[in-house]
Amino acid sequence: MIITVLVPGQVFLTEYAGPLIIYLLFYFRVPFIYGHKYDFITSQHSVVHLACICHSFHYIKRLLETLFVHRFSHGTMPLRNIFKNCMYYWGFAAWMAYYINHPLYTPPVFGEDQVKLAVAIFLFCQLGNFSIHIALRNLRPAGSKTRKIPFPTRNPFTWLFLLVSCPNYTYEVGSWIGFAIMTQCLPVALFSLVGFIQMTIWAKGKHRSYLKEFKDYPPLRSPIVPFIL
Ligand SMILES: NC(=O)c1ccc[n+]([C@@H]2O[C@H](COP(=O)([O-])OP(=O)(O)OC[C@H]3O[C@@H](n4cnc5c(N)ncnc54)[C@H](OP(=O)(O)O)[C@@H]3O)[C@@H](O)[C@H]2O)c1
Ligand SMILES: *[C@@H]1O[C@H](CO)[C@@H](O)[C@H](O)[C@H]1NC(C)=O
Ligand SMILES: *[C@@H]1O[C@H](CO)[C@@H](O)[C@H](O)[C@H]1NC(C)=O
């Protein structure tokens, strides 16, 4: 029996290119999604365009990080993972995109103020997440497989390391909450919730392995939500 394995970079590229493309198909309203009279007709709501920019930005960032920032230590990953993860990311992207780009979509109740707040949260968390990835990259010299305790650096976004083990996941959840506030769309809220549960499970695992690996691990840190989780 042949078990195909791929390197993590290939897995992530497949996982992240999918949502990017799928979302855009709905955004441009390609035929056979919403009915003929809407084919390639753009929405008149500005928040729909903004949401598309944010969604695309998120996945392009992830793709670029996979290519240029992360230093993976695991050689390979089973092909089975790709199916599971793609079902999850691609499925949710299609579901969210269907509703946000729907011709009958209604913009947020609190209008522009709500959208502005949401964009601020979204961008703040994207920057935070990126800062953490740079900090983790700098912990690992090129070509090596060592793992060290991450500490705050001069970049204020990394100061969250004082309180949590996985600030990258904290920021990740925050940016999806921002996206949910921006679009005020139920599938996005669900995606944020499921993501939060998954991130918490991973964060607890990573936190535990840090505690096991490092005797002098900072005791103040929680896995993902400061002082709580
Ligand atoms: N099953 C699980 O428990 C579990 C947990 C987390 C993630 N995942 C999988 O991973 C994917 C998402 O995880 P992710 O986005 O967090 O990416 P990731 O696979 O954890 O990759 C991030 C990169 O940063 C490196 N890194 C992390 N901590 C470091 C440290 N202290 N010092 C030096 N380098 C460090 C990682 O090294 P390493 O390669 O050495 O970790 C890895 O190369 C998911 O699709 C999921 O399938 C699974
Ligand atoms: C997120 O943070 C955890 C804990 O530091 C780390 O193990 C994981 O690899 C990070 N993910 C990425 C993509 O850097
Ligand atoms: C944040 O970090 C996680 C893991 O480190 C990554 O998978 C995710 O794409 C990032 N999220 C954002 C909002 O950039």
Side-chain angles (χ1 to χ4, degrees):
M1 190 181 140
I2 301 166
I3 299 170
T4 319
V5 289
L6 295 167
V7 300
Q10 293 169 324
V11 177
F12 293 148
L13 292 181
T14 317
E15 278 176 27
Y16 304 155
L20 181 63
I21 294 163
I22 289 169
Y23 193 100
L24 290 172
L25 294 178
F26 287 87
Y27 175 74
F28 288 112
R29 295 188 178 155
V30 297
F32 306 112
I33 297 182
Y34 299 114
H36 264 316
K37 66 174 172 167
Y38 297 113
D39 289 353
F40 302 111
I41 303 290
T42 51
S43 167
Q44 76 265 42
H45 303 302
S46 60
V47 65
V48 171
H49 307 301
L50 189 64
C52 180
I53 292 171
C54 290
H55 191 274
S56 307
F57 175 85
H58 171 78
Y59 283 104
I60 290 169
K61 164 181 170 295
R62 270 188 168 190
L63 286 168
L64 293 176
E65 283 180 340
T66 300
L67 290 172
F68 300 114
V69 178
H70 297 321
R71 288 182 172 147
F72 296 104
S73 71
H74 310 294
T76 55
M77 238 182 174
L79 191 60
R80 184 165 42 91
N81 280 12
I82 254 206
F83 287 111
K84 207 181 53 192
N85 294 355
C86 286
M87 292 295 284
Y88 172 74
Y89 285 114
W90 297 22
F92 257 115
W95 195 30
M96 296 191 293
Y98 177 82
Y99 281 99
I100 297 170
N101 298 293
H102 198 285
L104 299 179
Y105 169 81
T106 46
V109 269
F110 297 107
E112 254 184 42
D113 288 341
Q114 182 173 343
V115 174
K116 276 187 204 150
L117 171 75
V119 173
I121 296 174
F122 180 84
L123 283 180
F124 181 86
C125 290
Q126 292 281 336
L127 268 173
N129 186 283
F130 178 69
S131 307
I132 301 299
H133 290 159
I134 295 293
L136 285 175
R137 171 205 170 86
N138 291 339
L139 284 181
R140 176 171 287 167
S144 82
K145 293 185 177 185
T146 56
R147 204 186 315 265
K148 294 180 197 150
I149 303 180
F151 281 104
T153 66
R154 283 218 297 252
N155 176 347
F157 285 107
T158 67
W159 296 351
L160 201 49
F161 267 129
L162 288 172
L163 299 175
V164 297
S165 291
C166 302
N168 50 351
Y169 297 160
T170 314
Y171 284 125
E172 155 101 47
V173 172
S175 92
W176 285 112
I177 291 174
F179 196 64
I181 295 173
M182 181 190 313
T183 56
Q184 196 180 290
C185 182
L186 188 64
V188 181
L190 276 176
F191 184 63
S192 310
L193 180 68
V194 176
F196 176 57
I197 294 168
Q198 180 60 262
M199 295 287 149
T200 303
I201 295 168
W202 289 344
K204 286 189 164 189
K206 304 248 177 196
H207 182 72
R208 223 175 296 128
S209 46
Y210 276 138
L211 286 175
K212 220 189 307 170
E213 195 171 349
F214 304 104
K215 297 276 160 292
D216 51 344
Y217 195 70
L220 190 61
R221 289 187 201 185
S222 320
I224 184 166
V225 182
F227 308 113
I228 295 174
L229 256 180

